[in-house]
Amino acid sequence: MKYGNYLNQQKTAFPDEWQPHFIEYDALKAFLKTRMVGCNVHLSSSFPRTHVFQWSPGSDSEPSFDAMLHQRLEKVTQLTPAFVKMLDADIERINSFFVKIKDATKERINRVLDPMQKTTIAECEDALKDLLLLERFVFLNFTAIAKALKKHDKWSGLQIREPYLMRTSQLSFVVSTSLLRLKPELMNQLATLLSRTHPGTLPAVLNGGRTDSTTSTRVETPSGLPNTSFGINISPKLSPLVDLLHETQTVMISLRGPHGTDIIGGVLGCLSKHNCQIIDFSLSRLHHDVTFGVLVHLHNGDVDLFSDLAETAQKWDGTLTFDVQNARLKASVLSGQSEYKLDEAPYAQRVKYIATVLNERGLGPEFLSAWLKWLLKKKISVEQMRRLDKHSELMCVEFRLSVPDTLSLEEMKAELFTLSTGFQTDVALQPDNVFRRQKRLVVFDMDSTLIQQEVIDEIARATGIEEEVSAITESAMRGEIDFKESLRRRVALLKDTPIEALEEVKRQLVFTEGAHYLCRALKNAGFKLAVISGGFIPLAKYVRNELGLDYAFANQLEVSTDGKRLTGRTVGPIVDAVRKSELLEVIAQAEGIAIDQVVAVGDGANDLLMLGKASLGVAFNAKPKVQQEARARINQKSLANVLYLMGYSQSEAAELQLVG
């Protein structure tokens, strides 16, 4: 609901004699809309975004830049003082009426509170009614003043709201602390009178349903009385205003400035002084500059808060904005069912995702621009950006995204694969849930993942059959032939290979860059680690021991009876794609770890089932088929980049290296 309509609706609750003393909000708004057209001196916001300011006029009828600026400045110089004059007149009328009503109300309240007077419940209710009306009158008008000033600043390009509101801090209707101090006393007096009528109870209407701090009497519905929502009968005179007694306004406040913690402390100091309830907050920082936003409940009548905030903004060279929220948001906040928080995009039917964007060679503006254009095309909102690396050049950024629930994850992944491949950049998209940073088990493939070689090729190289074995390996990795068949063919070629060749291969193994760093960080963070390989167990155990892993599974080569040569056959179950997936699940079950807490990393077609089984499956420098089907991919040199996908920053990873 537009505020003008809301104000007119709220005015109907006030007596007729109050009506002429409200702000002429509709007249102020009409003045701005009709008179200030074409005079905005904030040129970049007053022209269409596609407008291009030419160095020279395009035609004789088009004014030069300096002439256009002169016209606008001249017009706004005339109209802004006229607007201020209108607003001043309204405020003086409001303030005069407030002083008149305040004095009468204060006199009535003092009479009710006078211990020498015999006060009735009706007199106390009348006094409370007048006080509540006056509080509401102040807040409605002050909110209208702030909104009118905000509209003026938008239409004119000038920024007068903050200094103007500081002017109002000298007026009686803004500074009404003496009246506010009487409210609790009046409420206690009414509570006392009502409790005498119904001994043993205090009306919840007066204390919001809480135990009274002075008597510690629990609020209950008196026996024999109708069960009202307040636990006690309230006279018809007070009933329409009962909600006003505890009514609060939901206000969004933001202060931006160069004095970091002082900005935060200044806002919180104002909120503390005025006993506001903090609902939510958000903070962003760019070196010294911070923007601190807070959503609060503000009690009716306590509009002096805004003057204090304006003074705080001036003190710390800050820019203050605030806005009273609409009724829909206010209702959702009060019910505890707010649809969004301050650091979230305010849209319904959304799903949260984390996108990790990575390029070891640097994230350039060309890719980032293309990435943001894709997000806009999909109507995906960026809620947070967090840099994860600490290199001199930007390398890794984590985005929290608010995604329309109509978008398919698989379709988004397919489009991102095409987009990012052209820039040699990786984009990993994961649901933002509690398990994303609560992983407990990481399972690795070995060949071309933890180590740079394919071990069977290394054995073949040692025995002079490298080309034949390598051709079969490549065909299997591309998914062109069945893994079991490829393994059978390759192992058969190793018949009569001396067992010493395995020891020679161990000495030749080269670990992938970042493998030791990654495994040390994960172990120190409490993870269980495993290698599940389609290679051979002697080498898998060696890798396990070198990296400090917990488990190693691989194929077992059969050895001749004299233990000196390979027979060209394997013993036991073949560790193929199905077996890898099964072993991942077995390890998780043995460790009491949910599948949602499992990460798998591999590069070949026989890793796909394992990658699909884990909640985060990472294709590491993998074949195209594997990259397209895996949930995430990394095409960078270092295996340590897996930590970024798991939500660890470079600083956190470095800290984990020091543990133990």
Side-chain angles (χ1 to χ4, degrees):
M1 179 186 293
K2 297 289 186 180
Y3 188 75
N5 296 332
Y6 175 74
L7 177 62
N8 291 331
Q9 180 190 79
Q10 293 297 307
K11 285 166 62 176
T12 61
F14 290 81
D16 292 341
E17 60 267 25
W18 290 54
Q19 300 297 324
H21 304 285
F22 275 88
I23 187 173
E24 295 292 341
Y25 183 75
D26 290 337
L28 290 166
K29 192 166 67 171
F31 177 90
L32 294 172
K33 283 192 172 182
T34 57
R35 302 284 301 279
M36 281 201 160
V37 175
C39 72
N40 195 329
V41 296
H42 189 204
L43 300 181
S44 59
S45 65
S46 59
F47 283 84
R49 283 179 290 180
T50 55
H51 183 83
V52 177
F53 291 100
Q54 303 294 335
W55 180 255
S56 300
S59 64
D60 293 338
S61 61
E62 184 179 342
S64 64
F65 187 83
D66 62 314
M68 175 187 62
L69 189 58
H70 175 77
Q71 291 170 3
R72 287 174 175 254
L73 287 169
E74 188 175 45
K75 193 172 181 181
V76 81
T77 301
Q78 296 172 353
L79 293 176
T80 290
F83 170 81
V84 169
K85 188 175 181 179
M86 287 178 62
L87 188 56
D88 280 353
D90 274 3
I91 291 176
E92 287 177 0
R93 187 180 68 256
I94 293 166
N95 194 58
S96 297
F97 180 73
F98 171 83
V99 171
K100 174 184 172 183
I101 298 297
K102 183 195 77 169
D103 290 343
T105 302
K106 191 172 181 180
E107 183 179 344
R108 174 178 285 188
I109 293 173
N110 285 331
R111 188 167 57 250
V112 167
L113 296 177
D114 187 348
M116 304 302 294
Q117 299 289 332
K118 186 177 181 180
T119 305
T120 65
I121 291 176
E123 290 174 329
C124 201
E125 288 179 344
D126 284 339
L128 183 57
K129 171 188 172 183
D130 290 346
L131 178 56
L132 294 177
L133 273 176
L134 195 56
E135 280 190 347
R136 187 65 172 159
F137 175 81
V138 168
F139 197 90
L140 288 171
N141 280 288
F142 190 89
T143 302
I145 293 167
K147 286 185 174 290
L149 288 166
K150 182 179 180 181
K151 288 182 180 297
H152 167 273
D153 292 359
K154 176 183 177 182
W155 282 85
S156 69
L158 302 179
Q159 302 295 316
I160 71 169
R161 183 167 78 153
E162 188 177 308
Y164 191 99
L165 290 177
M166 289 182 67
R167 288 178 65 217
T168 66
S169 65
Q170 305 164 38
L171 300 176
S172 298
F173 86 101
V174 175
V175 186
S176 53
T177 53
S178 61
L179 206 59
L180 288 173
R181 283 196 295 266
L182 292 175
K183 183 177 176 181
E185 297 180 43
L186 184 59
M187 291 167 60
N188 287 334
Q189 176 75 341
L190 181 55
T192 301
L193 293 174
L194 288 168
S195 63
R196 289 173 184 169
T197 307
H198 306 289
T201 65
L202 283 176
V205 64
L206 299 180
N207 66 358
R210 297 181 297 272
T211 300
D212 182 76
S213 60
T214 57
T215 63
S216 300
T217 304
R218 187 163 177 255
V219 176
E220 296 176 350
T221 302
S223 176
L225 290 176
N227 186 10
T228 70
S229 60
F230 307 108
I232 195 161
N233 280 343
I234 300 299
S235 71
K237 188 185 303 180
L238 189 60
S239 293
L241 296 169
V242 158
D243 288 342
L244 291 178
L245 188 60
H246 297 293
E247 183 172 11
T248 57
Q249 298 297 326
T250 303
V251 184
M252 190 92 74
I253 300 166
S254 173
L255 187 57
R256 176 172 58 86
H259 295 284
T261 307
D262 292 312
I263 291 286
I264 303 169
V267 172
L268 293 178
C270 291
L271 299 182
S272 173
K273 178 180 176 182
H274 294 275
N275 196 28
C276 297
Q277 180 186 358
I278 297 175
I279 305 305
D280 196 12
F281 68 89
S282 178
L283 175 70
S284 63
R285 175 183 282 274
L286 185 62
H287 291 297
H288 294 294
D289 289 301
V290 304
T291 299
F292 182 55
V294 60
L295 189 68
V296 302
H297 287 335
L298 174 65
H299 295 286
N300 274 336
D302 201 4
V303 295
D304 197 26
L305 166 68
F306 301 111
S307 300
D308 286 346
L309 286 169
E311 291 179 10
T312 298
Q314 185 180 47
K315 178 180 179 181
W316 297 113
D317 303 321
T319 301
L320 172 69
T321 60
F322 63 86
D323 197 17
V324 179
Q325 298 302 292
N326 61 46
R328 180 170 171 264
L329 172 61
K330 177 184 171 185
S332 65
V333 169
L334 287 172
S335 65
Q337 298 175 347
S338 179
E339 294 178 359
Y340 67 95
K341 298 180 180 179
L342 287 187
D343 61 354
E344 295 182 350
Y347 307 118
Q349 287 81 52
R350 292 277 171 147
V351 182
K352 307 295 183 183
Y353 283 93
I354 293 294
T356 309
V357 180
L358 171 67
N359 190 329
E360 287 179 339
R361 293 168 293 281
L363 290 171
E366 186 179 1
F367 167 75
L368 291 173
S369 175
W371 157 243
L372 264 296
K373 286 179 180 177
W374 181 84
L375 293 176
L376 290 168
K377 177 183 174 183
K378 294 296 181 180
K379 295 182 170 55
I380 296 173
S381 301
V382 177
E383 292 186 338
Q384 284 185 356
M385 294 172 60
R386 182 169 75 111
R387 182 176 183 177
L388 298 184
D389 74 288
K390 292 182 64 178
H391 295 88
S392 57
E393 188 174 7
L394 182 65
M395 193 184 93
C396 186
V397 179
E398 181 182 274
F399 292 79
R400 191 176 79 184
L401 305 175
S402 175
V403 179
D405 59 10
T406 54
L407 295 182
S408 161
L409 176 59
E410 294 306 316
E411 290 178 4
M412 288 191 291
K413 281 170 50 184
E415 292 184 29
L416 286 174
F417 180 81
T418 302
L419 171 68
S420 58
T421 299
F423 291 92
Q424 297 181 314
T425 299
D426 299 323
V427 179
L429 199 60
Q430 304 175 62
D432 185 19
N433 56 39
V434 68
F435 292 110
R436 191 183 71 84
R437 284 200 54 164
Q438 297 295 326
K439 307 300 186 191
R440 295 175 54 200
L441 169 64
V442 182
V443 175
F444 298 96
D445 174 44
M446 183 172 71
D447 295 5
S448 299
T449 301
L450 288 175
I451 59 174
Q452 294 183 8
Q453 302 104 316
E454 295 287 328
V455 293
I456 196 168
D457 293 344
E458 295 306 305
I459 299 172
R461 181 179 292 108
T463 55
I465 55 172
E466 178 185 359
E467 290 187 6
E468 297 95 314
V469 170
S470 183
I472 299 171
T473 300
E474 285 296 317
S475 180
M477 296 297 285
R478 290 192 298 268
E480 296 171 354
I481 62 174
D482 175 76
F483 178 80
K484 286 185 178 180
E485 176 60 23
S486 72
L487 183 67
R488 186 192 64 79
R489 294 182 190 178
R490 288 179 293 175
V491 172
L493 292 173
L494 299 179
K495 184 178 180 181
D496 293 330
T497 297
I499 197 70
E500 289 81 5
L502 297 179
E503 294 301 318
E504 177 62 25
V505 169
K506 286 182 187 178
R507 290 189 290 270
Q508 300 299 321
L509 290 184
V510 178
F511 285 90
T512 301
E513 179 182 331
H516 287 87
Y517 188 92
L518 170 63
C519 293
R520 188 182 305 114
L522 293 174
K523 285 300 294 181
N524 287 339
F527 281 77
K528 293 295 181 180
L529 306 179
V531 56
I532 303 178
S533 173
F536 306 115
I537 196 65
L539 299 169
K541 286 183 176 179
Y542 170 75
V543 168
R544 178 195 66 188
N545 295 336
E546 284 292 308
L547 296 177
L549 311 183
D550 300 284
Y551 296 92
F553 293 94
N555 294 300
Q556 180 65 58
L557 291 169
E558 185 181 68
V559 180
S560 60
T561 54
D562 60 6
K564 294 182 178 181
R565 294 183 178 275
L566 302 179
T567 66
R569 297 186 296 272
T570 60
V571 178
I574 298 297
V575 180
D576 59 1
V578 173
R579 183 63 176 161
K580 282 190 170 189
S581 176
E582 292 173 346
L583 287 169
L584 179 149
E585 197 163 8
V586 167
I587 297 170
Q589 289 177 352
E591 294 289 347
I593 296 173
I595 290 297
D596 286 330
Q597 296 175 284
V598 179
V599 179
V601 186
D603 73 305
N606 68 326
D607 295 318
L608 275 172
L609 292 180
M610 178 177 76
L611 299 181
K613 175 75 70 174
S615 63
L616 174 59
V618 182
F620 181 73
N621 291 320
K623 304 298 184 290
K625 173 182 171 63
V626 181
Q627 292 195 38
Q628 288 177 331
E629 294 189 29
R631 287 194 176 93
R633 62 191 177 93
I634 292 178
N635 289 311
Q636 315 295 327
K637 290 181 179 180
S638 177
L639 197 58
N641 288 313
V642 171
L643 290 166
Y644 290 137
L645 271 60
M646 296 172 68
Y648 290 97
S649 68
Q650 184 177 347
S651 297
E652 291 168 335
E655 188 176 349
L656 286 171
Q657 301 299 310
L658 305 176
V659 176

